[in-house]
Amino acid sequence: MRRKQIILFIFSLLLINSVIAQENLSLSVEEAKQYALDFNKTVKNAELSVQQSQESIKETIASGLPQVDATVDYSKQMGKDISVDFGGSDLTIPLKPSSNFNLQLTQLIFSGSYIVGIKSAKLYERLSEQNREKTEIDIVSDVVENYYLSLMADESLKILEANLKNLQTVYNKTKPMVSVGMKEKVELDQLAVQVNSLKNAVSSAKRQCELTKNMLRLQLGVSADTEIELTETLDKLIEDAHFTQSNTIGDFDLNANVDYQILGMQEQLNQKQVDLQKTAYMPTVSGYYTYTYKIMKPAFDMSPPHVIGFQMNIPIFSGGERRSKVTQAKFDLQTAKNNREQMGDQLSIQYKQLSFNLLNAVEKYETQTENVKVSREVYKSLKTKFEQGVISSLELTTADNNYLSAESDYLSAKVEALRAKNDLETLTGEVYNQKKQ
């Protein structure tokens, strides 16, 4: 009976795992962004870093709060007893073991490094939050790009399959015409070559679809067995993007870029390091209280049970070591300032370049939109002429290749425009701010 229960339990686990493994996700772009922010492992690690920095603040603060320690000791002196001479007569006092219970309370009263340490810990927390935001921006940007590429792969596959179906129909209609002598066999052979090429292209496109979906699964933080359905289309995304020549470039605020923010925070941390090294010139003041309970009293013990005191450590001379550390910290601070200024220049140039890329991509998309319309009409016209026997199969296959090339360029232009917009929004942080709203 027990063996049967174990088998049923294992079967239930396998069934549950099978259901989980076959999870289906239907996601829009915005839903994919949110899903990645909720389940991506890199984002989770960034959140753990924030929580760790928060605990670091508590640790730093706790070091300046009252500290209480308790000790218990036992000792016995080994050797001769104590002899005391009282007017010619010796008095022997045996050595007794001693045991004490000590309770000590210490309190930091003033420490410059403690004050600076708390401020630095709070800055590290803000830095970890900015690093988390950078991680989320990168993940969201990657999700958007892989979403576009997945849509492109899916649409490319549909175009190839539809084209293969049409050309296969032409081949099937041409085959009996060759058998009755209405068409040359060489024309049928040329169609067969084109059909086989399209079959290979379809197989390759299917593998490309799976590859792009796997990249998206990785960013979303789901298993490789999860089926993903993309509910958006490239045409709808293009329509929502509202591409025009007048609104593709806007103003750029350096402070909106997370990398620039991180360098600014690093500069503040370097300033705190300068302050920390300067505190080495300041005294440190602490107080203490000790209570001692005699568990086993020795023969002679005049020490009181309660002791209170203060201690001040005053730095006097270090041979120039403190001055050197302050100077080095100032060098690091200046380096951080230079890095931030350099980052600002690089970001401004990068913004202009990405803006130009977006303009070029929009212009290319508009051109390819017209080209693909013409290619479709040309292909339809030549297909009809071939079926009527006006043109040869070579001309048809050439038109077919031109049509596929135009469709491919059109798809690439759509994705290129969307990716250029995504790159620009990633630089300005808008891709992330949109998600937060």
Side-chain angles (χ1 to χ4, degrees), residues 11-25:
F11 177 78
S12 299
L13 288 179
L14 292 175
L15 182 61
I16 292 173
N17 289 335
S18 176
V19 172
I20 295 175
Q22 296 175 359
E23 180 186 4
N24 294 328
L25 287 177

Side-chain angles (χ1 to χ4, degrees), residues 54 63 65 98 140 144 164 223 231 233 267 281 284 287 300 348 375 405 415:
Q54 293 171 347
S63 65
L65 298 179
S98 65
V140 166
V144 171
L164 175 61
S223 67
T231 60
T233 64
E267 183 180 330
Y281 291 96
T284 301
F300 294 97
S348 297
S375 297
S405 178
V415 174

Side-chain angles (χ1 to χ4, degrees), residues 62 99 168 171 204 260 277 296 323:
S99 179
Q168 185 70 57
Y171 176 84
S204 178
Y260 191 75
Q277 296 304 327
M296 299 180 66
R323 183 195 63 79

Side-chain angles (χ1 to χ4, degrees), residues 281 316-324:
Y281 291 96
I316 298 176
F317 181 70
S318 65
E321 178 183 358
R322 287 189 290 268
R323 183 195 63 79
S324 179

Side-chain angles (χ1 to χ4, degrees), residues 334-348:
Q334 188 58 50
T335 300
K337 290 181 178 180
N338 294 339
N339 289 339
R340 190 184 188 194
E341 291 177 2
Q342 183 180 27
M343 173 63 76
D345 295 337
Q346 292 174 347
L347 289 174
S348 297

Side-chain angles (χ1 to χ4, degrees), residues 137-163:
I137 288 175
D138 291 340
I139 292 299
V140 166
S141 180
D142 289 342
V143 166
V144 171
E145 181 160 340
N146 284 316
Y147 196 101
Y148 295 158
L149 293 176
S150 295
L151 287 177
M152 178 181 177
D154 290 343
E155 291 196 19
S156 179
L157 175 61
K158 291 177 182 178
I159 292 172
L160 288 171
E161 288 178 335
N163 188 254

Side-chain angles (χ1 to χ4, degrees), residues 1 8 94 116-117 130 134 136 140 206 208 224 294 301 310 318 322 338 350-351 385 390 407 414 423 428:
M1 181 67 180
L8 288 174
V116 176
Q130 288 178 343
K134 175 176 172 55
E136 291 178 344
V140 166
K206 289 180 179 179
Q208 185 64 29
K294 308 295 183 181
D301 185 10
F310 295 91
S318 65
R322 287 189 290 268
N338 294 339
Q350 187 178 2
Y351 175 75
K385 289 182 179 181
V390 177
E407 286 284 6
K414 285 195 287 187
D423 290 341
T428 60

